[in-house]
mmCIF file of all heavy atoms in Angstrom:
data_model
loop_
_atom_site.group_PDB
_atom_site.id
_atom_site.type_symbol
_atom_site.label_atom_id
_atom_site.label_comp_id
_atom_site.label_asym_id
_atom_site.label_seq_id
_atom_site.Cartn_x
_atom_site.Cartn_y
_atom_site.Cartn_z
ATOM 1 N N GLY A 37 -88.969 186.138 251.956
ATOM 2 C CA GLY A 37 -89.908 187.228 251.885
ATOM 3 C C GLY A 37 -89.205 188.594 251.948
ATOM 4 O O GLY A 37 -88.070 188.682 252.281
ATOM 5 N N GLY A 38 -89.939 189.590 251.575
ATOM 6 C CA GLY A 38 -89.402 190.991 251.574
ATOM 7 C C GLY A 38 -88.977 191.389 252.978
ATOM 8 O O GLY A 38 -89.714 191.160 253.941
ATOM 9 N N LEU A 39 -87.782 191.970 253.070
ATOM 10 C CA LEU A 39 -87.173 192.374 254.344
ATOM 11 C C LEU A 39 -87.177 193.870 254.519
ATOM 12 O O LEU A 39 -86.363 194.488 253.851
ATOM 13 C CB LEU A 39 -85.835 191.745 254.495
ATOM 14 C CG LEU A 39 -85.249 191.630 255.947
ATOM 15 C CD1 LEU A 39 -84.043 190.734 255.935
ATOM 16 C CD2 LEU A 39 -84.733 193.041 256.426
ATOM 17 N N SER A 40 -87.994 194.395 255.416
ATOM 18 C CA SER A 40 -87.991 195.840 255.668
ATOM 19 C C SER A 40 -87.598 196.051 257.087
ATOM 20 O O SER A 40 -88.003 195.307 257.992
ATOM 21 C CB SER A 40 -89.334 196.463 255.446
ATOM 22 O OG SER A 40 -89.404 197.779 255.963
ATOM 23 N N ARG A 41 -86.735 197.021 257.330
ATOM 24 C CA ARG A 41 -86.352 197.341 258.704
ATOM 25 C C ARG A 41 -87.548 197.840 259.534
ATOM 26 O O ARG A 41 -87.620 197.860 260.749
ATOM 27 C CB ARG A 41 -85.215 198.459 258.769
ATOM 28 C CG ARG A 41 -85.632 199.705 258.108
ATOM 29 C CD ARG A 41 -84.445 200.698 258.122
ATOM 30 N NE ARG A 41 -84.743 201.808 257.303
ATOM 31 C CZ ARG A 41 -84.406 203.098 257.646
ATOM 32 N NH1 ARG A 41 -83.902 203.333 258.892
ATOM 33 N NH2 ARG A 41 -84.610 204.102 256.841
ATOM 34 N N PHE A 42 -88.670 198.209 258.870
ATOM 35 C CA PHE A 42 -89.851 198.760 259.509
ATOM 36 C C PHE A 42 -90.890 197.678 259.715
ATOM 37 O O PHE A 42 -91.855 197.925 260.447
ATOM 38 C CB PHE A 42 -90.435 199.862 258.706
ATOM 39 C CG PHE A 42 -89.508 201.032 258.445
ATOM 40 C CD1 PHE A 42 -89.133 201.331 257.159
ATOM 41 C CD2 PHE A 42 -88.938 201.731 259.427
ATOM 42 C CE1 PHE A 42 -88.281 202.366 256.794
ATOM 43 C CE2 PHE A 42 -88.020 202.795 259.175
ATOM 44 C CZ PHE A 42 -87.662 203.080 257.859
ATOM 45 N N SER A 43 -90.748 196.525 259.052
ATOM 46 C CA SER A 43 -91.692 195.448 259.177
ATOM 47 C C SER A 43 -91.262 194.509 260.209
ATOM 48 O O SER A 43 -90.619 193.514 259.934
ATOM 49 C CB SER A 43 -91.963 194.727 257.869
ATOM 50 O OG SER A 43 -92.874 193.701 258.017
ATOM 51 N N THR A 44 -91.532 194.831 261.451
ATOM 52 C CA THR A 44 -90.995 194.070 262.576
ATOM 53 C C THR A 44 -92.219 193.700 263.493
ATOM 54 O O THR A 44 -93.278 194.368 263.444
ATOM 55 C CB THR A 44 -89.940 194.724 263.348
ATOM 56 O OG1 THR A 44 -90.490 195.831 264.035
ATOM 57 C CG2 THR A 44 -88.819 195.180 262.520
ATOM 58 N N LYS A 45 -91.959 192.792 264.435
ATOM 59 C CA LYS A 45 -92.957 192.369 265.355
ATOM 60 C C LYS A 45 -93.274 193.539 266.317
ATOM 61 O O LYS A 45 -94.317 193.546 267.022
ATOM 62 C CB LYS A 45 -92.543 191.141 266.160
ATOM 63 C CG LYS A 45 -92.461 189.925 265.261
ATOM 64 C CD LYS A 45 -91.501 188.885 265.778
ATOM 65 C CE LYS A 45 -90.103 189.276 265.466
ATOM 66 N NZ LYS A 45 -89.098 188.243 265.684
ATOM 67 N N GLY A 46 -92.376 194.573 266.357
ATOM 68 C CA GLY A 46 -92.612 195.635 267.275
ATOM 69 C C GLY A 46 -93.456 196.802 266.726
ATOM 70 O O GLY A 46 -93.616 197.810 267.395
ATOM 71 N N LEU A 47 -93.860 196.694 265.497
ATOM 72 C CA LEU A 47 -94.615 197.848 264.935
ATOM 73 C C LEU A 47 -95.978 197.979 265.661
ATOM 74 O O LEU A 47 -96.644 196.946 265.953
ATOM 75 C CB LEU A 47 -94.895 197.539 263.467
ATOM 76 C CG LEU A 47 -93.822 197.900 262.476
ATOM 77 C CD1 LEU A 47 -94.219 197.568 261.072
ATOM 78 C CD2 LEU A 47 -93.468 199.356 262.526
ATOM 79 N N PRO A 48 -96.457 199.155 265.888
ATOM 80 C CA PRO A 48 -97.749 199.320 266.560
ATOM 81 C C PRO A 48 -98.873 198.889 265.581
ATOM 82 O O PRO A 48 -98.755 198.937 264.366
ATOM 83 C CB PRO A 48 -97.847 200.852 266.773
ATOM 84 C CG PRO A 48 -96.890 201.508 265.732
ATOM 85 C CD PRO A 48 -95.809 200.477 265.601
ATOM 86 N N ALA A 49 -99.943 198.349 266.171
ATOM 87 C CA ALA A 49 -101.042 197.844 265.344
ATOM 88 C C ALA A 49 -101.805 199.010 264.660
ATOM 89 O O ALA A 49 -102.216 198.819 263.504
ATOM 90 C CB ALA A 49 -102.028 196.995 266.209
ATOM 91 N N ALA A 50 -101.905 200.163 265.368
ATOM 92 C CA ALA A 50 -102.639 201.265 264.769
ATOM 93 C C ALA A 50 -101.829 201.945 263.724
ATOM 94 O O ALA A 50 -100.649 202.225 263.878
ATOM 95 C CB ALA A 50 -103.013 202.214 265.894
ATOM 96 N N GLN A 51 -102.432 202.247 262.544
ATOM 97 C CA GLN A 51 -101.777 202.873 261.436
ATOM 98 C C GLN A 51 -102.275 204.373 261.461
ATOM 99 O O GLN A 51 -103.446 204.615 261.688
ATOM 100 C CB GLN A 51 -102.151 202.316 260.121
ATOM 101 C CG GLN A 51 -101.652 200.821 260.035
ATOM 102 C CD GLN A 51 -100.155 200.703 260.000
ATOM 103 O OE1 GLN A 51 -99.517 201.509 259.298
ATOM 104 N NE2 GLN A 51 -99.640 199.754 260.679
ATOM 105 N N PRO A 52 -101.416 205.347 261.140
ATOM 106 C CA PRO A 52 -101.825 206.731 261.077
ATOM 107 C C PRO A 52 -102.844 206.948 259.925
ATOM 108 O O PRO A 52 -102.756 206.234 258.965
ATOM 109 C CB PRO A 52 -100.493 207.489 260.870
ATOM 110 C CG PRO A 52 -99.589 206.467 260.309
ATOM 111 C CD PRO A 52 -99.944 205.178 260.889
ATOM 112 N N GLU A 53 -103.613 207.923 260.054
ATOM 113 C CA GLU A 53 -104.536 208.227 258.982
ATOM 114 C C GLU A 53 -103.856 208.776 257.770
ATOM 115 O O GLU A 53 -102.943 209.555 257.836
ATOM 116 C CB GLU A 53 -105.600 209.283 259.485
ATOM 117 C CG GLU A 53 -106.641 209.605 258.493
ATOM 118 C CD GLU A 53 -107.725 210.531 259.039
ATOM 119 O OE1 GLU A 53 -107.737 210.803 260.236
ATOM 120 O OE2 GLU A 53 -108.517 211.032 258.183
ATOM 121 N N ARG A 54 -104.271 208.231 256.610
ATOM 122 C CA ARG A 54 -103.586 208.728 255.388
ATOM 123 C C ARG A 54 -104.050 210.081 254.971
ATOM 124 O O ARG A 54 -105.164 210.480 255.155
ATOM 125 C CB ARG A 54 -103.899 207.695 254.210
ATOM 126 C CG ARG A 54 -103.375 206.245 254.510
ATOM 127 C CD ARG A 54 -103.061 205.622 253.227
ATOM 128 N NE ARG A 54 -102.486 204.230 253.559
ATOM 129 C CZ ARG A 54 -101.240 203.987 253.754
ATOM 130 N NH1 ARG A 54 -100.363 205.010 253.720
ATOM 131 N NH2 ARG A 54 -100.803 202.747 253.998
ATOM 132 N N GLN A 55 -103.141 210.807 254.395
ATOM 133 C CA GLN A 55 -103.381 212.167 253.943
ATOM 134 C C GLN A 55 -103.707 212.049 252.479
ATOM 135 O O GLN A 55 -102.929 211.680 251.653
ATOM 136 C CB GLN A 55 -102.137 213.057 254.136
ATOM 137 C CG GLN A 55 -102.337 214.521 253.840
ATOM 138 C CD GLN A 55 -101.123 215.322 254.200
ATOM 139 O OE1 GLN A 55 -100.360 215.015 255.097
ATOM 140 N NE2 GLN A 55 -100.867 216.359 253.429
ATOM 141 N N SER A 56 -104.961 212.300 252.138
ATOM 142 C CA SER A 56 -105.463 212.011 250.792
ATOM 143 C C SER A 56 -104.859 212.740 249.675
ATOM 144 O O SER A 56 -104.950 212.263 248.513
ATOM 145 C CB SER A 56 -107.003 212.289 250.744
ATOM 146 O OG SER A 56 -107.263 213.691 250.980
ATOM 147 N N ASP A 57 -104.097 213.805 249.918
ATOM 148 C CA ASP A 57 -103.420 214.551 248.853
ATOM 149 C C ASP A 57 -101.927 214.406 248.823
ATOM 150 O O ASP A 57 -101.200 215.083 248.073
ATOM 151 C CB ASP A 57 -103.829 216.060 248.898
ATOM 152 C CG ASP A 57 -103.293 216.723 250.149
ATOM 153 O OD1 ASP A 57 -102.924 216.007 251.122
ATOM 154 O OD2 ASP A 57 -103.257 217.934 250.199
ATOM 155 N N LEU A 58 -101.419 213.481 249.696
ATOM 156 C CA LEU A 58 -99.920 213.408 249.884
ATOM 157 C C LEU A 58 -99.342 212.316 249.010
ATOM 158 O O LEU A 58 -99.733 211.131 249.011
ATOM 159 C CB LEU A 58 -99.631 213.125 251.330
ATOM 160 C CG LEU A 58 -98.144 212.863 251.644
ATOM 161 C CD1 LEU A 58 -97.275 214.160 251.354
ATOM 162 C CD2 LEU A 58 -97.935 212.453 253.109
ATOM 163 N N VAL A 59 -98.393 212.742 248.143
ATOM 164 C CA VAL A 59 -97.623 211.809 247.346
ATOM 165 C C VAL A 59 -96.172 211.911 247.767
ATOM 166 O O VAL A 59 -95.561 212.964 247.856
ATOM 167 C CB VAL A 59 -97.727 212.192 245.863
ATOM 168 C CG1 VAL A 59 -96.789 211.286 244.997
ATOM 169 C CG2 VAL A 59 -99.156 212.050 245.337
ATOM 170 N N VAL A 60 -95.589 210.763 248.117
ATOM 171 C CA VAL A 60 -94.208 210.712 248.559
ATOM 172 C C VAL A 60 -93.340 210.068 247.416
ATOM 173 O O VAL A 60 -93.702 208.987 246.950
ATOM 174 C CB VAL A 60 -94.059 209.803 249.890
ATOM 175 C CG1 VAL A 60 -92.601 209.589 250.182
ATOM 176 C CG2 VAL A 60 -94.757 210.586 250.979
ATOM 177 N N VAL A 61 -92.325 210.796 247.076
ATOM 178 C CA VAL A 61 -91.307 210.294 246.117
ATOM 179 C C VAL A 61 -90.176 209.687 246.903
ATOM 180 O O VAL A 61 -89.511 210.456 247.618
ATOM 181 C CB VAL A 61 -90.874 211.382 245.113
ATOM 182 C CG1 VAL A 61 -89.771 210.823 244.243
ATOM 183 C CG2 VAL A 61 -92.035 211.951 244.318
ATOM 184 N N LEU A 62 -89.923 208.451 246.791
ATOM 185 C CA LEU A 62 -88.900 207.758 247.587
ATOM 186 C C LEU A 62 -87.653 207.535 246.735
ATOM 187 O O LEU A 62 -87.723 206.740 245.718
ATOM 188 C CB LEU A 62 -89.467 206.469 248.140
ATOM 189 C CG LEU A 62 -88.552 205.728 249.190
ATOM 190 C CD1 LEU A 62 -88.349 206.508 250.447
ATOM 191 C CD2 LEU A 62 -89.277 204.409 249.510
ATOM 192 N N GLN A 63 -86.568 208.136 247.102
ATOM 193 C CA GLN A 63 -85.271 207.945 246.393
ATOM 194 C C GLN A 63 -84.272 207.274 247.258
ATOM 195 O O GLN A 63 -83.948 207.828 248.315
ATOM 196 C CB GLN A 63 -84.796 209.248 245.867
ATOM 197 C CG GLN A 63 -85.710 210.085 244.973
ATOM 198 C CD GLN A 63 -85.022 211.276 244.336
ATOM 199 O OE1 GLN A 63 -84.467 211.229 243.324
ATOM 200 N NE2 GLN A 63 -85.169 212.391 245.118
ATOM 201 N N GLY A 64 -83.793 206.143 246.839
ATOM 202 C CA GLY A 64 -82.759 205.481 247.644
ATOM 203 C C GLY A 64 -81.341 206.025 247.447
ATOM 204 O O GLY A 64 -81.115 206.795 246.504
ATOM 205 N N LYS A 65 -80.476 205.704 248.343
ATOM 206 C CA LYS A 65 -79.084 206.177 248.281
ATOM 207 C C LYS A 65 -78.320 205.482 247.150
ATOM 208 O O LYS A 65 -77.274 205.954 246.713
ATOM 209 C CB LYS A 65 -78.339 205.900 249.588
ATOM 210 C CG LYS A 65 -78.728 206.890 250.689
ATOM 211 C CD LYS A 65 -77.960 206.579 251.975
ATOM 212 C CE LYS A 65 -76.470 207.022 251.739
ATOM 213 N NZ LYS A 65 -75.695 206.837 253.001
ATOM 214 N N GLY A 66 -78.859 204.492 246.545
ATOM 215 C CA GLY A 66 -78.194 203.749 245.481
ATOM 216 C C GLY A 66 -78.188 204.552 244.185
ATOM 217 O O GLY A 66 -77.500 204.200 243.279
ATOM 218 N N GLY A 67 -78.914 205.657 244.122
ATOM 219 C CA GLY A 67 -78.931 206.508 242.929
ATOM 220 C C GLY A 67 -80.116 206.386 242.034
ATOM 221 O O GLY A 67 -80.668 205.254 241.850
ATOM 222 N N THR A 68 -80.620 207.445 241.509
ATOM 223 C CA THR A 68 -81.699 207.421 240.530
ATOM 224 C C THR A 68 -81.371 208.437 239.421
ATOM 225 O O THR A 68 -80.434 209.170 239.572
ATOM 226 C CB THR A 68 -83.110 207.772 241.144
ATOM 227 O OG1 THR A 68 -83.051 209.141 241.463
ATOM 228 C CG2 THR A 68 -83.387 206.917 242.401
ATOM 229 N N GLN A 69 -82.216 208.406 238.403
ATOM 230 C CA GLN A 69 -82.017 209.427 237.342
ATOM 231 C C GLN A 69 -82.961 210.586 237.617
ATOM 232 O O GLN A 69 -83.097 211.458 236.735
ATOM 233 C CB GLN A 69 -82.424 208.746 235.974
ATOM 234 C CG GLN A 69 -81.462 207.599 235.594
ATOM 235 C CD GLN A 69 -81.923 206.865 234.388
ATOM 236 O OE1 GLN A 69 -83.159 206.753 234.053
ATOM 237 N NE2 GLN A 69 -81.012 206.408 233.588
ATOM 238 N N TRP A 70 -83.498 210.739 238.762
ATOM 239 C CA TRP A 70 -84.513 211.727 239.070
ATOM 240 C C TRP A 70 -83.848 212.951 239.675
ATOM 241 O O TRP A 70 -82.727 212.911 240.240
ATOM 242 C CB TRP A 70 -85.536 211.248 240.098
ATOM 243 C CG TRP A 70 -86.225 209.972 239.554
ATOM 244 C CD1 TRP A 70 -86.136 209.392 238.304
ATOM 245 C CD2 TRP A 70 -86.976 209.082 240.383
ATOM 246 N NE1 TRP A 70 -86.874 208.234 238.288
ATOM 247 C CE2 TRP A 70 -87.375 208.020 239.537
ATOM 248 C CE3 TRP A 70 -87.398 209.078 241.717
ATOM 249 C CZ2 TRP A 70 -88.167 206.939 239.950
ATOM 250 C CZ3 TRP A 70 -88.193 208.059 242.182
ATOM 251 C CH2 TRP A 70 -88.591 206.969 241.288
ATOM 252 N N ASP A 71 -84.488 214.144 239.463
ATOM 253 C CA ASP A 71 -83.989 215.321 240.125
ATOM 254 C C ASP A 71 -85.158 216.116 240.675
ATOM 255 O O ASP A 71 -86.335 215.944 240.354
ATOM 256 C CB ASP A 71 -83.181 216.168 239.224
ATOM 257 C CG ASP A 71 -83.859 216.612 237.925
ATOM 258 O OD1 ASP A 71 -85.074 216.967 238.008
ATOM 259 O OD2 ASP A 71 -83.293 216.554 236.861
ATOM 260 N N ASP A 72 -84.815 217.033 241.603
ATOM 261 C CA ASP A 72 -85.869 217.853 242.303
ATOM 262 C C ASP A 72 -86.693 218.709 241.265
ATOM 263 O O ASP A 72 -87.893 218.828 241.465
ATOM 264 C CB ASP A 72 -85.202 218.791 243.316
ATOM 265 C CG ASP A 72 -84.654 218.001 244.496
ATOM 266 O OD1 ASP A 72 -84.981 216.828 244.614
ATOM 267 O OD2 ASP A 72 -83.836 218.594 245.227
ATOM 268 N N GLN A 73 -86.029 219.225 240.259
ATOM 269 C CA GLN A 73 -86.783 220.077 239.331
ATOM 270 C C GLN A 73 -87.895 219.300 238.604
ATOM 271 O O GLN A 73 -88.936 219.841 238.354
ATOM 272 C CB GLN A 73 -85.762 220.622 238.266
ATOM 273 C CG GLN A 73 -86.383 221.649 237.317
ATOM 274 C CD GLN A 73 -85.294 222.232 236.407
ATOM 275 O OE1 GLN A 73 -84.211 221.827 236.363
ATOM 276 N NE2 GLN A 73 -85.728 223.179 235.605
ATOM 277 N N TYR A 74 -87.612 218.051 238.258
ATOM 278 C CA TYR A 74 -88.617 217.248 237.628
ATOM 279 C C TYR A 74 -89.919 217.159 238.470
ATOM 280 O O TYR A 74 -91.047 217.350 238.031
ATOM 281 C CB TYR A 74 -88.177 215.881 237.324
ATOM 282 C CG TYR A 74 -89.140 214.921 236.658
ATOM 283 C CD1 TYR A 74 -89.442 215.012 235.302
ATOM 284 C CD2 TYR A 74 -89.941 214.093 237.425
ATOM 285 C CE1 TYR A 74 -90.343 214.172 234.711
ATOM 286 C CE2 TYR A 74 -90.862 213.245 236.951
ATOM 287 C CZ TYR A 74 -91.093 213.295 235.532
ATOM 288 O OH TYR A 74 -92.044 212.498 234.951
ATOM 289 N N TRP A 75 -89.698 216.874 239.766
ATOM 290 C CA TRP A 75 -90.849 216.630 240.681
ATOM 291 C C TRP A 75 -91.599 217.977 240.985
ATOM 292 O O TRP A 75 -92.734 218.025 241.245
ATOM 293 C CB TRP A 75 -90.430 215.954 241.952
ATOM 294 C CG TRP A 75 -89.909 214.591 241.620
ATOM 295 C CD1 TRP A 75 -88.657 214.122 241.741
ATOM 296 C CD2 TRP A 75 -90.704 213.483 241.092
ATOM 297 N NE1 TRP A 75 -88.624 212.829 241.267
ATOM 298 C CE2 TRP A 75 -89.840 212.394 240.877
ATOM 299 C CE3 TRP A 75 -92.027 213.319 240.779
ATOM 300 C CZ2 TRP A 75 -90.295 211.145 240.428
ATOM 301 C CZ3 TRP A 75 -92.461 212.128 240.281
ATOM 302 C CH2 TRP A 75 -91.621 211.046 240.053
ATOM 303 N N GLN A 76 -90.857 219.050 240.931
ATOM 304 C CA GLN A 76 -91.435 220.375 241.059
ATOM 305 C C GLN A 76 -92.358 220.668 239.860
ATOM 306 O O GLN A 76 -93.529 221.207 240.053
ATOM 307 C CB GLN A 76 -90.405 221.448 241.133
ATOM 308 C CG GLN A 76 -89.610 221.413 242.462
ATOM 309 C CD GLN A 76 -88.334 222.336 242.525
ATOM 310 O OE1 GLN A 76 -88.135 223.005 241.442
ATOM 311 N NE2 GLN A 76 -87.573 222.220 243.522
ATOM 312 N N GLN A 77 -91.974 220.245 238.693
ATOM 313 C CA GLN A 77 -92.833 220.374 237.538
ATOM 314 C C GLN A 77 -94.037 219.451 237.589
ATOM 315 O O GLN A 77 -95.145 219.840 237.228
ATOM 316 C CB GLN A 77 -92.017 220.131 236.255
ATOM 317 C CG GLN A 77 -90.928 221.105 235.927
ATOM 318 C CD GLN A 77 -90.058 220.649 234.763
ATOM 319 O OE1 GLN A 77 -89.682 219.535 234.598
ATOM 320 N NE2 GLN A 77 -89.719 221.672 233.912
ATOM 321 N N VAL A 78 -93.781 218.233 238.133
ATOM 322 C CA VAL A 78 -94.913 217.339 238.278
ATOM 323 C C VAL A 78 -95.974 217.932 239.181
ATOM 324 O O VAL A 78 -97.161 217.912 238.955
ATOM 325 C CB VAL A 78 -94.516 215.946 238.854
ATOM 326 C CG1 VAL A 78 -95.624 215.067 239.234
ATOM 327 C CG2 VAL A 78 -93.535 215.241 237.823
ATOM 328 N N GLU A 79 -95.540 218.551 240.282
ATOM 329 C CA GLU A 79 -96.499 219.169 241.247
ATOM 330 C C GLU A 79 -97.295 220.266 240.607
ATOM 331 O O GLU A 79 -98.454 220.476 240.923
ATOM 332 C CB GLU A 79 -95.677 219.692 242.478
ATOM 333 C CG GLU A 79 -96.637 220.002 243.624
ATOM 334 C CD GLU A 79 -95.927 220.201 244.924
ATOM 335 O OE1 GLU A 79 -94.713 220.644 244.876
ATOM 336 O OE2 GLU A 79 -96.443 219.872 246.008
#
């Protein structure tokens, strides 16, 4: 199964409320073709 360092038996049951207008762009250290300027234009 998928292994996340955050998906553990110690996670709290309660989840924080979602922010309806928040979009998170997740870039790993392995490298992407994305840059900050592109996402500024998207916004």
Side-chain angles (χ1 to χ4, degrees):
L39 195 166
S40 169
R41 60 181 169 139
F42 305 117
S43 179
T44 68
K45 292 154 284 191
L47 280 178
Q51 298 291 318
E53 184 176 349
R54 297 208 180 274
Q55 188 175 328
S56 61
D57 64 345
L58 177 61
V59 175
V60 171
V61 176
L62 188 62
Q63 299 186 93
K65 286 183 69 177
T68 68
Q69 297 174 327
W70 305 347
D71 58 42
D72 292 345
Q73 186 176 6
Y74 176 84
W75 296 111
Q76 291 168 5
Q77 292 175 321
V78 171
E79 192 166 32

